[in-house]
Amino acid sequence: MHLRPLGRTGLQVSNLCLGTMQFGWTTDERASFAVMDAFVEAGGNFFDTADVYSRWAPGNPGGVSEQIIGRWLKDRGNRDRLIIATKVRGRMWEGPDGEGLSRAHITRAIEDSLRRLQIETIDLYQCHSPDEKTPIEETLRAFEETISSGKVRHIGASNFTAAQLAEALRVAGEKSLPHLETLQPHYNLVHRAEYEDELASLCERESIGVIPYSPLAAGFLTGKYRPGQPQPRSARAGRVREYMNAPGFAVLEALDRIAAAHDMTPAAVALAWQMTRPAIVAPIVGANSPEQLADLLPAAELTLSQGEIAALDRVSASF
């Protein structure tokens, strides 16, 4: 993998980021350790999680992904070589401060995440989604406290609209508060407009490091969902139905052609296309096994021609 600068943070991160939402949900701890080992062995150094992962699953109280990463970090003794990102916002306990981006919630949530991860400092602490009930100034001041205390190095956001991100940047500038340095948008070949319409230009202008989630459209862009074939059994299978139509399958056909020319998987081509976009630092990829991860890792070294990029741009333009 190649190292890229993460916006203006000064951090150098691998051009693929390992997402860990599946740890403790669709992947047990042993398999999670194997995936993390394989990622690091391939040159990856950038891990993304969230405190709420995977609280929606039966029997999962949340925080499980962080706990698994923490035990792995302690066992492997490699914390100093890695960039660890996590997120705050979702409901983690009962009561009025059990969720959100208030100072009260952040103050407790950061301690909980540090304890679960078994580390002293989080490299990138992100708003998981906006909190309309809390003024952004309060959130940024809470983040300022976490930075000044040495618990956090940099801050970012996920799922912010262009207007929300611009407002956070404005308030930070006017009040001399910490600047959101990264953005996690939902972005891929069959979900382009949400990011490209306004967020892309804002991130380029403000030097925001972009680390997209769902770069493979919940597995659709891997090519395992095909017309007239039974759908694979997957916890995320229901999310791909919106792409299973003529325009979506046309994107798969284009990926197939380019993948065959490079002896790569369609997934690797989809990731490589995304890495050609301005401001994109590292797509967030997940895997339930080292074998699944191995299908994605070649994207980090794949260079697409201008013609191939243009062909993918055209076939996905309606998205």
Side-chain angles (χ1 to χ4, degrees):
M1 280 186 238
H2 302 287
L3 294 181
R4 290 179 164 182
L6 183 60
R8 304 184 303 182
T9 65
L11 300 176
Q12 295 287 319
V13 298
S14 52
N15 59 342
L16 290 176
C17 176
L18 184 65
T20 62
M21 181 172 67
Q22 69 276 18
F23 292 178
W25 176 28
T26 59
T27 312
D28 64 21
E29 184 160 325
R30 182 177 179 180
S32 300
F33 274 40
V35 168
M36 289 187 280
D37 287 341
F39 184 71
V40 170
E41 184 177 350
N45 74 342
F46 192 15
F47 289 70
D48 179 73
T49 187
D51 58 4
V52 77
Y53 292 164
S54 296
R55 203 168 190 261
W56 54 84
N60 189 316
V64 174
S65 173
E66 288 183 332
Q67 289 173 335
I68 290 173
I69 294 170
R71 288 190 286 268
W72 178 81
L73 289 170
K74 184 177 181 180
D75 186 76
R76 301 303 192 257
N78 57 0
R79 167 67 183 105
D80 60 334
R81 300 192 294 276
L82 303 175
I83 305 299
I84 305 297
T86 192
K87 299 184 283 293
V88 60
R89 167 64 174 89
R91 178 161 292 280
M92 290 299 293
W93 61 87
E94 297 306 312
D97 298 321
E99 65 176 320
L101 295 174
S102 67
R103 180 182 182 278
H105 183 79
I106 291 172
T107 299
R108 175 173 166 181
I110 184 67
E111 298 295 343
D112 290 346
S113 285
L114 289 168
R115 183 182 65 255
R116 288 188 291 259
L117 288 164
Q118 301 189 55
I119 59 179
E120 296 181 355
T121 304
I122 291 167
D123 298 302
L124 178 63
Y125 200 42
Q126 305 155 99
C127 308
H128 205 155
S129 59
D131 177 7
E132 293 80 3
K133 297 179 181 179
T134 302
I136 191 62
E137 182 176 346
E138 178 180 342
T139 299
L140 294 175
R141 290 198 182 280
F143 282 149
E144 182 180 45
E145 293 174 10
T146 67
I147 293 171
S148 63
S149 64
K151 297 170 184 174
V152 169
R153 295 177 69 184
H154 304 284
I155 60 171
S158 179
N159 295 303
F160 274 39
T161 65
Q164 290 164 335
L165 179 58
E167 175 66 4
L169 297 175
R170 182 191 67 78
V171 171
E174 291 182 357
K175 304 291 184 178
S176 298
L177 291 168
H179 186 283
L180 294 174
E181 302 288 359
T182 63
L183 177 71
Q184 277 194 36
H186 181 189
Y187 183 52
N188 56 60
L189 270 166
V190 290
H191 191 95
R192 293 178 57 181
E194 181 179 328
Y195 170 68
E196 291 183 2
D197 282 354
E198 296 182 6
L199 279 166
S201 58
L202 176 60
C203 290
E204 291 174 51
R205 187 167 64 249
E206 297 291 338
S207 299
I208 302 292
V210 180
I211 44 179
Y213 70 86
S214 197
L216 297 175
F220 178 74
L221 296 174
T222 66
K224 64 182 179 181
Y225 298 90
R226 297 289 182 171
Q229 295 183 9
Q231 290 191 19
R233 296 185 64 181
S234 169
R236 305 182 191 182
R239 292 170 52 193
V240 306
R241 290 184 186 135
E242 64 179 296
Y243 311 126
M244 296 183 69
N245 49 41
F249 292 133
V251 172
L252 291 187
E253 290 174 3
L255 288 173
D256 286 340
R257 288 193 297 271
I258 297 170
H262 290 274
D263 194 22
M264 295 272 182
T265 63
V269 174
L271 293 169
W273 170 85
Q274 193 169 95
M275 285 188 276
T276 68
R277 319 315 277 182
I280 302 292
V281 177
I284 300 173
V285 299
N288 288 317
S289 67
E291 291 75 22
Q292 284 187 357
L293 184 65
D295 286 340
L296 310 179
L297 293 176
E301 306 291 336
L302 176 58
T303 300
L304 299 177
S305 71
Q306 289 301 311
E308 290 168 336
I309 295 168
L312 291 171
D313 286 348
R314 286 193 300 272
V315 76
S316 63
S318 64
F319 293 97

